[in-house]
Amino acid sequence: MSGNINLDFSLLKKLTQAYGPSGNEKEIAGLIMGYSKNHVDNVETDILGNLIIRKKGRGKRIMIAAHMDEVGVIVTHIDNNGYLYFSAVGGLNEAGLLARRVMFSNRCYGVIGRERKESEEEKSKGKYFIDIGVNSEEEARKMVREGDMAILTGEFVENGSHIISKAIDNRLGCFIALEVLKNYQGEDDVFFVFTVQEEVGARGAKTAAFAIEPDLALIIDTTISYDTPKEKYRTSLNNGVAIKVMDRSIIVSPVIKNWMIDIAVKNNIVFQSEIISAGGTDSGPVHLTKGGVPTGGIAVPVRYLHSGSEITTKLDIESAYRLLSELLKNPFAS
Amino acid sequence: MFLKELCELDGVSGNEKKVREYIIEQLKDKADDYKIDKIGNLIVRKKGMDGNILGVPKVLLCAHMDEVGLFITEITNDGFLKFQTVGGIDPKILVSKTVVCGNEVPGVIGSKAIHLQKPEERKQILSIEELYIDIGAVSKEEAENIVKLGDYVAFASRFERLGSGFNKAKALDDRAGCSVIMQILNNQYRCDLVGAFTVQEEVGLRGSKVISNYLEADLAIVVEATMAKDLAETFEEEWIVELGKGPACSLMDSATIYNPELIQKVAELAEKLDIPLQFRRGTTAANDAGNIHQAGRGIPLITLSIPCRNIHTMSSLIAMQDYENCLKLVHSILENIQVFCSNT
């Protein structure tokens, strides 16, 4: 590490703690707009809610994308006693939901509960509900209505070299993109896109890429860290930024992947590979846009993804920041 | 209203021609023009009135023409037809139902008679492989004279009125939506209308994928039929929608998260005009909205559904008041189009 990187982790704290489940990313977009307004030429929000921030230049059209949304739950029914029934928004692990706290956009809090007397078979179907501490439907409706979404809460803590918080997936990507944006000095026409609805199938990135028609796209996201006490053989914490090779939605062109690896090696940036067989990312729809877009992905390994208690490390964050900065200094030419 | 005629036409996914021709016949004198695209979607256009210099908003109205059904995959030596399902069909509903194969050949779905079944067989659910269609042929040759491999099979089911205000039919999903949009296209509004009657929704939203490549709009309204489970033995939180409580506005399904501000506008308009409205309280299944909202740079969109019991069967059931209220709500949205196309 070159050691003189000075990332503003208080910004990461604000971003992770804000509310933004898929389809409800306005609060995050507002924060990002606030932080970037002195550094950019043009800001727009498209129909789906993607925030597109442009640093105009004469060179290549480069799209840097990070998704703003986080997993959550959506209220589908309010019963007579004021209990809220819900569905998952994005890939939530239902088994881990019992007694978790959730928060709505209006800062109404609830706790996830479940019937105690159900048979084991019924329990496995996960008949969970949200308890917001009211006694009637009428009382509940003063705070919540059908269609409202809530997110899992999870405080931001800096544990020495590690960070624990909710929504590191993918406010961390937004954070890195914002830090790179602030320091960008190049000549290219760079579109920093903060996308919506990645967690439900990478929907926002599709319309954004269609509108921008980039010459090159780089997606920054988080990825599963596989290191548990007995397994350390795949993408792991503290092994640096992960360069995407493949996920369920993309096979990165070897030319792009090798360009990224070369830049990492030249600049002594510690890196590893991201190869996952489950789960897609924004890189999926982006690389298939129109006649095809050269697309690469960089990802920061995170433990306990989608849990509200995600763990990442400053070493990996800094290497991701450095790689993205260096990639922009030497953009891929086809 | 076109509902009875539409439901009694056969149009299993990929074979929507009869439905398309009926819609064209009914609308060709009311609309400005129509075209059929290469996959078979029917696009009907109707200009708005009072277009000012800046033009009027363009609204896309979408319903799918296709219905679930069967497809002949084998003709046995005895002249029976083996088949596969097209779209989501529960094999449990098929035994001993009447069907129409290929070119209007009537048939029944057979299986072993109860007398011939062993006690344990009576408890088992028959799989598709154990069922066959009997068209009264005594040999393979006789069967091959009237049907061929790849012929479609549709449920034989008449449109009937039940009780004081319910209608039973096959294919209410989504001929009910087609019928609503056809009625709307008889009117003129202060916006340009594009009626998109799509193909192959039931096999994975395929027709709407194609229209998403070339249609643009300021607002899209998908009109659907959706599953009601308002039965006494299920918990209220699992009902999804209820018959008689008005059209259902979708919140989220497996292909779309609906814009909260647009949902709010629909709810406010319905309340102001005293049109009953419910929310679709389930998040599974998908419809053409999944493709349309991601079309091009994105299209603001809502889905309104008519609640339907026994959906994807030959005996689907809707409440006519829900149909009428759905029609009224779509009409009212178009009458108040400036509210919906202002800041989106």
Side-chain angles (χ1 to χ4, degrees):
Chain A
M1 299 292 306
S2 56
N4 48 8
I5 296 168
N6 201 5
L7 298 173
D8 174 13
F9 287 109
S10 70
L11 169 57
L12 180 59
K13 178 177 180 176
K14 289 199 183 85
L15 286 168
T16 57
Q17 293 300 299
Y19 164 95
S22 308
N24 292 264
E25 299 88 350
K26 278 198 168 160
E27 193 174 311
I28 316 301
L31 272 176
I32 293 172
M33 260 191 273
Y35 277 99
S36 60
K37 65 170 182 271
N38 297 328
H39 305 277
V40 299
D41 299 311
N42 189 42
V43 176
E44 69 174 281
T45 305
D46 76 3
I47 284 163
L48 289 190
N50 296 305
L51 178 65
I52 301 174
I53 297 180
R54 184 173 183 181
K55 278 199 134 171
K56 282 187 186 162
R58 289 179 309 252
K60 294 190 181 64
R61 290 168 77 83
I62 301 176
M63 171 173 171
I64 306 291
H67 72 86
M68 296 187 284
D69 61 317
E70 65 190 295
V71 295
V73 295
I74 179 168
V75 174
T76 54
H77 178 67
I78 303 172
D79 83 1
N80 290 335
N81 299 318
Y83 290 112
L84 318 177
Y85 288 84
F86 63 91
S87 297
V89 178
L92 264 191
N93 176 6
E94 290 208 357
L97 289 180
L98 189 61
R100 294 300 306 270
R101 284 189 202 190
V102 298
M103 182 185 87
F104 289 89
S105 67
N106 60 2
R107 270 47 184 177
C108 164
Y109 284 81
V111 173
I112 295 179
R114 186 170 66 182
E115 297 288 350
R116 265 180 296 178
K117 289 181 179 167
E118 287 178 86
S119 69
E120 281 307 313
E121 188 195 353
E122 275 175 300
K123 270 185 185 167
S124 69
K125 288 182 203 150
K127 216 177 282 168
Y128 291 96
F129 50 78
I130 299 169
D131 182 347
I132 52 169
V134 296
N135 294 311
S136 68
E137 180 179 345
E138 197 194 351
E139 231 184 300
R141 284 189 182 280
K142 286 177 189 159
M143 294 184 274
V144 176
R145 54 174 190 247
E146 291 95 340
D148 284 355
M149 288 185 187
I151 47 88
L152 298 173
T153 63
E155 204 187 334
F156 179 96
V157 286
E158 286 183 64
N159 229 5
S161 61
H162 289 59
I163 289 170
I164 306 175
S165 175
K166 82 168 190 59
I168 286 177
D169 176 10
N170 181 37
R171 304 298 152 62
L172 178 55
C174 299
F175 168 70
I176 292 169
L178 266 175
E179 292 288 307
V180 169
L181 177 157
K182 272 197 254 179
N183 298 315
Y184 182 71
Q185 305 288 345
E187 293 292 306
D188 288 313
D189 202 3
V190 188
F191 297 77
F192 291 88
V193 184
F194 299 90
T195 64
V196 298
Q197 302 191 31
E198 191 273 349
E199 296 292 358
V200 291
R203 296 177 190 155
K206 182 167 191 265
T207 59
F210 182 93
I212 294 168
E213 289 189 66
D215 302 315
L216 171 69
L218 293 171
I219 314 299
I220 174 150
D221 206 334
T222 54
T223 191
I224 304 171
S225 182
Y226 286 91
D227 47 343
T228 51
K230 287 177 185 159
E231 193 190 339
K232 303 195 183 305
Y233 307 111
R234 296 171 70 179
T235 318
S236 301
L237 246 51
N238 281 320
N239 284 347
V241 60
I243 294 176
K244 185 182 288 295
V245 176
M246 186 184 104
D247 64 32
R248 207 172 46 75
S249 67
I250 186 172
I251 295 170
V252 177
S253 157
V255 186
I256 303 271
K257 183 194 70 185
N258 292 336
W259 160 66
M260 295 172 75
I261 289 173
D262 286 348
I263 301 265
V265 170
K266 264 184 211 152
N267 293 282
N268 291 320
I269 297 168
V270 28
F271 72 95
Q272 52 191 325
S273 293
E274 183 197 19
I275 307 173
I276 49 175
S277 49
T281 54
D282 278 347
S283 45
V286 170
H287 86 290
L288 297 175
T289 300
K290 295 192 173 171
V293 175
T295 301
I298 67 178
V300 181
V302 171
R303 288 189 192 147
Y304 320 114
L305 277 173
H306 298 186
S307 72
S309 300
E310 303 172 343
I311 302 184
T312 184
T313 80
K314 291 179 183 173
L315 184 149
D316 294 341
I317 297 171
E318 282 166 7
S319 92
Y321 169 79
R322 286 187 58 218
L323 180 60
L324 186 57
S325 304
E326 294 299 333
L327 290 170
L328 279 176
K329 283 181 200 160
N330 307 281
F332 171 78
S334 46
Chain B
M1 197 167 70
F2 310 97
L3 193 55
K4 179 178 190 296
E5 289 74 13
L6 280 168
C7 288
E8 291 186 349
L9 290 169
D10 295 336
V12 178
S13 308
N15 195 35
E16 299 88 351
K17 192 174 181 199
K18 286 180 191 164
V19 181
R20 185 168 52 232
E21 283 176 350
Y22 173 78
I23 297 172
I24 292 170
E25 192 53 39
Q26 296 300 318
L27 291 181
K28 66 175 189 228
D29 299 330
K30 313 277 186 188
D32 291 307
D33 68 81
Y34 70 88
K35 72 158 198 174
I36 301 163
D37 73 11
K38 285 174 187 166
I39 198 174
N41 297 306
L42 171 63
I43 309 296
V44 180
R45 292 177 195 273
K46 177 131 181 179
K47 284 221 174 321
M49 52 189 168
D50 293 354
N52 62 26
I53 239 165
L54 298 166
V56 293
K58 183 154 104 182
V59 180
L60 172 63
L61 303 165
C62 179
H64 65 91
M65 294 186 286
D66 62 316
E67 65 188 290
V68 296
L70 310 173
F71 189 83
I72 297 171
T73 53
E74 184 188 338
I75 300 174
T76 70
N77 288 335
D78 307 324
F80 295 124
L81 318 178
K82 305 297 279 182
F83 60 89
Q84 280 299 318
T85 52
V86 179
I89 292 182
D90 177 357
K92 291 200 288 293
I93 67 159
L94 292 176
V95 184
S96 70
K97 299 303 191 303
T98 51
V99 294
V100 181
C101 309
N103 194 18
E104 305 295 324
V105 176
V108 295
I109 299 178
S111 72
K112 205 191 269 186
I114 189 165
H115 319 73
L116 304 173
Q117 294 174 19
K118 296 177 185 130
E120 62 271 23
E121 283 181 315
R122 292 184 192 180
K123 291 178 196 154
Q124 283 165 4
I125 293 163
L126 292 165
S127 69
I128 298 284
E129 289 69 33
E130 292 166 291
L131 299 170
Y132 52 85
I133 298 168
D134 186 341
I135 52 169
V138 297
S139 68
K140 189 170 188 172
E141 291 69 39
E142 190 184 345
E144 281 173 342
N145 282 334
I146 44 177
V147 295
K148 57 186 186 306
L149 293 185
D151 275 358
Y152 282 95
V153 180
F155 301 132
S157 174
R158 309 295 294 180
F159 182 94
E160 290 174 278
R161 195 172 171 102
L162 298 187
S164 54
F166 293 87
N167 283 325
K168 164 250 153 187
K170 72 171 181 65
L172 281 162
D173 173 12
D174 184 27
R175 304 294 157 68
C178 294
S179 180
V180 166
I181 293 175
M182 289 171 74
Q183 283 188 270
I184 291 289
L185 287 168
N186 270 292
N187 308 329
Q188 204 180 21
Y189 301 90
R190 288 177 201 282
C191 54
D192 290 340
L193 297 181
V194 181
F197 300 92
T198 58
V199 296
Q200 302 192 35
E201 192 269 356
E202 297 291 1
V203 289
L205 322 182
R206 296 183 192 157
S208 60
K209 184 159 191 202
V210 175
I211 63 167
S212 299
N213 287 335
Y214 64 84
L215 282 185
E216 289 180 348
D218 300 299
L219 177 72
I221 305 174
V222 175
V223 187
E224 264 283 4
T226 198
M227 50 204 176
K229 206 172 132 193
D230 51 339
L231 309 168
E233 67 269 24
T234 53
F235 292 108
E236 204 181 316
E237 66 266 18
E238 295 169 0
W239 284 0
I240 317 284
V241 292
E242 293 168 73
L243 264 64
K245 296 278 177 72
C249 184
S250 292
L251 305 169
M252 177 176 122
D253 56 42
S254 63
T256 311
I257 291 174
Y258 295 87
N259 180 309
E261 283 108 44
L262 274 180
I263 293 170
Q264 187 57 22
K265 285 177 184 175
V266 173
E268 279 166 13
L269 182 68
E271 192 177 351
K272 191 174 115 192
L273 300 175
D274 226 3
I275 302 170
L277 177 75
Q278 54 186 322
F279 294 112
R280 185 177 179 276
R281 305 193 303 257
T283 54
T284 56
N287 65 51
D288 284 337
N291 286 322
I292 295 167
H293 85 283
Q294 297 181 68
R297 292 163 181 252
I299 298 178
L301 165 152
I302 54 169
T303 290
L304 295 173
S305 297
I306 294 159
C308 181
R309 286 189 200 139
N310 317 324
I311 200 162
H312 288 201
T313 76
M314 56 298 286
S315 311
S316 300
L317 201 72
I318 61 167
M320 276 321 285
Q321 67 193 83
D322 292 335
Y323 176 94
E324 293 298 343
N325 283 317
C326 184
L327 177 63
K328 204 165 147 188
L329 186 55
V330 175
H331 170 76
S332 307
I333 290 169
L334 296 172
E335 292 260 280
N336 295 278
I337 194 63
Q338 71 289 349
V339 176
F340 291 86
C341 290
S342 55
N343 59 358
T344 47

